[in-house]
Amino acid sequence: MVEHPLSNGGKAVMTFESVQTLIDALVAGGYQVIGPTVRDGAIVYDRIAGVPDLPAGWRDVQDAGRYRLERRDDAALFGFAVGPHSWKRFLHPPVETLWQADIGDEGLSITAAADRPSKFAFIGVRSCEIRAILSRIGSFAKEFTRIPAMKCVAVMRSSLR
């Protein structure tokens, strides 16, 4: 692996191929990769498997009470403003199954829910969103200690073009 150190405040631009290599490495490392994707007429945060899932060439147009997508003149992966979703739903899920009950021939059976992912990799996070996430982690440190091995990797969107 070739290293190219950056000076403090330096910038780097990643190619689509290097973004795919990064996503592949994160998946191989056991991370659930979350990033922006186009779904239901909006740019939302969800699980992604690769660069084709990212909103290349899309932008959102927002106005009072309006939100719509339109094509850009380029293939920018992150050429949009903050959409209708936030990273919070992955860090603090609004719904979580704790157990499941089934009635069968032998009566009632209760099973524990599947473990939720313990490692997330967020792709395309804005610097202000990273600050918000880090400030909430500090405020809710006790909550995070109840989730074993909760880890998060964030790739700032300014480094991905």
Side-chain angles (χ1 to χ4, degrees):
M1 179 175 189
V2 178
E3 289 190 33
H4 300 284
L6 294 174
S7 61
N8 191 10
K11 294 182 180 182
V13 176
M14 297 176 70
T15 64
F16 287 0
E17 294 80 18
S18 61
V19 174
Q20 184 62 57
T21 300
L22 172 64
I23 292 170
D24 293 341
L26 290 167
V27 169
Y31 286 89
Q32 183 177 0
V33 181
I34 308 296
T37 191
V38 174
R39 188 179 70 229
D40 301 328
I43 296 173
V44 299
Y45 299 130
D46 207 348
R47 230 176 144 166
I48 60 170
V51 170
D53 296 331
L54 295 169
W58 287 100
R59 80 166 137 232
D60 54 348
V61 179
Q62 301 182 37
D63 202 352
R66 293 188 60 184
Y67 179 95
R68 73 177 191 282
L69 295 181
E70 62 182 39
R71 290 305 253 165
R72 295 171 51 97
D73 293 334
D74 60 22
L77 295 177
F78 304 101
F80 60 93
V82 176
H85 286 192
S86 78
W87 304 101
K88 182 178 179 181
R89 76 182 188 106
F90 300 101
L91 298 170
H92 303 285
V95 176
E96 185 172 359
T97 302
L98 301 175
W99 52 271
Q100 184 173 356
D102 293 306
I103 297 178
D105 293 339
E106 300 193 19
L108 181 69
S109 66
I110 297 176
T111 55
D115 291 336
R116 58 182 276 225
S118 61
K119 295 185 345 177
F120 291 98
F122 295 153
I123 302 291
V125 184
R126 293 174 174 264
S127 60
C128 59
E129 294 170 317
I130 290 174
R131 287 184 188 270
I133 290 168
L134 293 176
S135 73
R136 300 314 304 165
I137 289 173
S139 300
F140 295 110
K142 289 181 182 177
E143 284 186 35
F144 276 88
T145 58
R146 284 190 246 141
I147 303 171
M150 178 75 146
K151 295 181 182 173
C152 170
V153 171
V155 178
M156 293 176 55
R157 61 189 273 156
S158 62
S159 64
L160 303 171
R161 297 199 198 280

